[in-house]
Amino acid sequence: MIWNPEYECMDREALLALQLRRLQTTVAWVYERVPYYRDRLDVAGLRPRDIRTLDDLRRLPFTDKTALRDTYPFGMFAVELDSVVRIHSSSGTTGKPIVVGYTKGDLSTWTECTARVAAAAGITSTDRVQMAFLYGMFTGGWGMHYGIERIGATVIPAGSGNTERHLMMMQDFGTTALVSTPSYALYLAEVGEKMGVDFSTLPLRVGLFGGEPSGESMRAEIERRLGIRATDNYGLSEVMGPGVSGECECQCGLHVAEDHFICEIVDPVSGEVLPPGQEGELVVTTITKEAFPVLRYRTHDLTVLDTEPCACGRTLTRMRKVRHRTDDMLIIRGVNVYPSQVEDVLLKIEGIEPHYLMVVERASGMDRLEIKIEVAEQIFSDIMADMVAFTGRVSDRLDSVLGLSAKVTLVEPGTIERSVGKARHVDDRRTME
Ligand code: DLL
């Protein structure tokens, strides 16, 4: 179902005109209200009135995470705190998080955007949707919750963790849809299988997955094990949270809510804007946000934009599934390696569970990569000679895809830490020299 055809199927020219008007308003809004943006525009010799066409967007300076951190907690807010009705923060690993705020109007826009994502994934008012995202400072839980509720579906706000309880509710409540990270969906399948849950007999039919990268093999694995259609949706706290883009039933790219966000693809090194069809870093400008607008935010996520019409009827640009970030690239002995490459290889090998950990160490100035991989019970208990042959085969495949040799260690099922949120695949123990 198309939630808001007026905007989602808008004539491209009208959409671009709308984007320009909204961009002009946003630039004037932040210039007036956020000292950081005013200073940056002044340095660039720009005034809001200089934004006359959409191409003028390129004249604006980029905004990066550092600016958002340095102004902690409320320095980037464009409204008084009195008008802020909700605060969230980014899932930063160390130090202070990035704090973002929403006015009543922002919450309404956010709900609209996540309702679109849910409707595009196939959610209707008759669905029972089980939420396995964290409800807290993370934007995933609350963001998706309100959008799904707006559609009129029944929300089951189970939250993250307690997998057995999730499975119980799923069976007892007749859950038809699951909202989680893709890695948690697999974990749920794993625990359910151990408990003897037969997913094929449950009414569960669709999954809305996001918050972390996942490839097509991972999608196929989730679809097979849970017996559902798995859709991907994308967003980030700095820009809003979930709701920035989501897949429709065609599963061929994530439609961007372009009436609220302008997306550009830039070369991650030079910052030069790249044409549609080329892979690069996604840069997002919000054009309707009141409390926390961002101009040209560097997401570090790598993707490609596709402006070709989609079979679903939406005219909104699609972004390809995000597989990796510029900052999760590991450089090991000079070779660039992404965790997603390892995931793709492993998921194609029979008997391997899609749980792995890449451990990088440096000894005597040499980088060493060890990949710990879980294998299915029957392989693990097989005789030693088979294990050695199996490890050799896995290692050969990884070597040829990664372009470097890695030590492969098979570990018992269930030994790699499971996450109830975003999965962690890398343990980089190298100290800076
Ligand atoms: O993860 C927002 C979100 C929640 C989106 C739930 C979708 C569903 P942050 O915690 O700020 O916000 O993390 C944002 O997560 O820059 C990407 O690197 C990654 N990410 C989010 N969704 C996807 C996705 C939320 N569908 C960061 N595919 C982003 C790949 C994703 N990466």
Side-chain angles (χ1 to χ4, degrees):
M1 183 192 46
I2 299 181
W3 177 250
N4 191 337
E6 184 187 345
Y7 288 98
E8 294 181 79
C9 306
M10 202 169 188
D11 165 72
R12 288 297 300 175
E13 247 174 61
L15 176 69
L16 297 180
L18 177 73
Q19 282 191 325
L20 175 60
R21 279 200 308 280
R22 291 182 167 178
L23 174 67
Q24 288 167 329
T25 309
T26 297
V27 175
W29 180 263
V30 295
Y31 189 82
E32 279 294 307
R33 294 155 178 262
V34 185
Y36 173 84
Y37 286 118
R38 187 179 319 125
D39 292 349
R40 298 298 305 277
L41 263 72
D42 282 346
V43 169
L46 284 172
R47 288 280 178 280
R49 63 169 180 273
D50 294 326
I51 305 299
R52 293 196 193 94
T53 69
L54 278 178
D55 281 341
D56 289 328
L57 176 65
R58 296 179 187 198
R59 300 170 66 193
L60 297 172
F62 290 121
T63 306
D64 63 17
K65 225 182 223 0
T66 323
L68 273 46
R69 282 225 172 90
D70 292 350
T71 50
Y72 176 87
F74 307 132
M76 295 295 265
F77 282 24
V79 297
E80 295 296 325
L81 227 60
D82 283 356
S83 319
V84 172
V85 293
R86 176 99 66 80
I87 280 171
H88 279 284
S89 68
S90 72
S91 48
T93 41
T94 50
K96 303 269 194 198
I98 288 165
V99 180
V100 296
Y102 304 77
T103 61
K104 277 190 182 157
D106 292 331
L107 286 188
S108 168
T109 307
W110 193 11
T111 301
E112 156 76 19
C113 290
T114 51
R116 287 185 194 178
V117 163
I123 300 296
T124 68
S125 61
T126 60
D127 275 298
R128 293 175 207 168
V129 187
Q130 194 158 320
M131 303 287 303
F133 274 144
L134 181 74
Y135 282 84
M137 297 310 279
F138 180 50
T139 51
W142 296 106
M144 292 305 293
H145 179 111
Y146 284 105
I148 293 164
E149 218 171 63
R150 186 171 285 183
I151 289 183
T154 309
V155 182
I156 306 166
S160 70
N162 206 336
T163 306
E164 294 188 4
R165 193 175 64 131
H166 261 291
L167 288 159
M168 181 192 74
M169 291 198 279
M170 197 167 264
Q171 296 171 89
D172 296 347
F173 298 171
T175 302
T176 59
L178 171 68
V179 176
S180 73
T181 54
S183 57
Y184 187 69
L186 268 188
Y187 181 49
L188 199 84
E190 182 184 345
V191 177
E193 286 154 11
K194 275 202 197 107
M195 284 167 61
V197 176
D198 180 0
F199 288 101
S200 69
T201 61
L202 299 183
L204 193 66
R205 60 176 193 86
V206 61
L208 281 76
F209 304 121
E212 66 180 7
S214 61
E216 288 301 339
S217 318
M218 179 90 159
R219 186 208 303 270
E221 180 83 6
I222 296 173
E223 293 190 328
R224 184 180 65 76
R225 288 170 73 174
L226 288 179
I228 59 172
R229 184 158 51 83
T231 61
D232 189 7
N233 67 87
Y234 167 91
L236 63 165
S237 340
E238 297 91 315
V239 161
M240 183 164 75
V244 175
S245 64
E247 274 181 342
C248 61
E249 59 269 33
C250 304
Q251 294 178 315
C252 58
L254 289 72
H255 288 281
V256 176
E258 289 183 285
D259 47 330
H260 298 288
F261 308 101
I262 302 181
C263 287
E264 300 168 273
I265 296 292
V266 305
D267 179 306
V269 180
S270 69
E272 189 199 327
V273 177
L274 301 174
Q278 277 201 36
E279 186 183 68
E281 179 181 345
L282 179 72
V283 171
V284 184
T285 299
T286 65
I287 50 173
T288 50
K289 279 183 76 188
E290 296 170 341
F292 200 89
V294 281
L295 298 185
R296 303 195 85 201
Y297 186 69
R298 301 284 297 248
T299 65
H300 290 286
D301 293 318
L302 292 167
T303 185
V304 178
L305 294 182
D306 182 355
T307 49
E308 289 302 307
C310 179
C312 72
R314 289 176 184 79
T315 51
L316 301 174
T317 294
R318 283 165 289 159
M319 57 185 261
R320 200 183 62 193
K321 275 168 91 59
V322 172
R323 291 308 314 281
H324 28 248
R325 294 174 52 82
T326 55
D327 46 11
D328 66 20
M329 184 180 81
L330 291 162
I331 303 181
I332 301 168
R333 300 197 293 272
V335 179
N336 300 347
V337 178
Y338 286 107
S340 54
Q341 293 174 298
V342 174
E343 180 187 299
D344 287 346
V345 172
L346 298 186
L347 278 163
K348 289 195 182 106
I349 304 176
E350 179 90 19
I352 291 198
E353 301 287 328
H355 304 291
Y356 64 94
L357 183 67
M358 301 166 70
V359 182
V360 196
E361 278 170 318
R362 181 168 293 163
S364 321
M366 240 330 235
D367 293 337
R368 226 176 119 255
L369 169 65
E370 178 185 7
I371 306 180
K372 296 188 177 180
I373 300 168
E374 272 189 33
V375 285
E377 201 82 58
Q378 77 275 10
I379 291 192
F380 200 80
S381 53
D382 276 353
I383 51 166
M384 201 58 193
D386 278 352
M387 281 249 278
V388 172
F390 186 78
T391 311
R393 275 209 311 279
V394 176
S395 187
D396 286 348
R397 291 231 202 139
L398 282 166
D399 289 359
S400 67
V401 171
L402 303 182
L404 89 164
S405 63
K407 179 180 174 212
V408 171
T409 311
L410 303 185
V411 297
E412 277 185 72
T415 40
I416 290 179
E417 193 193 341
R418 303 291 193 264
S419 161
V420 294
K422 304 189 186 212
R424 177 171 157 265
H425 295 299
V426 177
D427 180 6
D428 194 343
R429 300 176 184 165
R430 291 175 291 188
T431 45
M432 301 304 281
E433 284 176 355

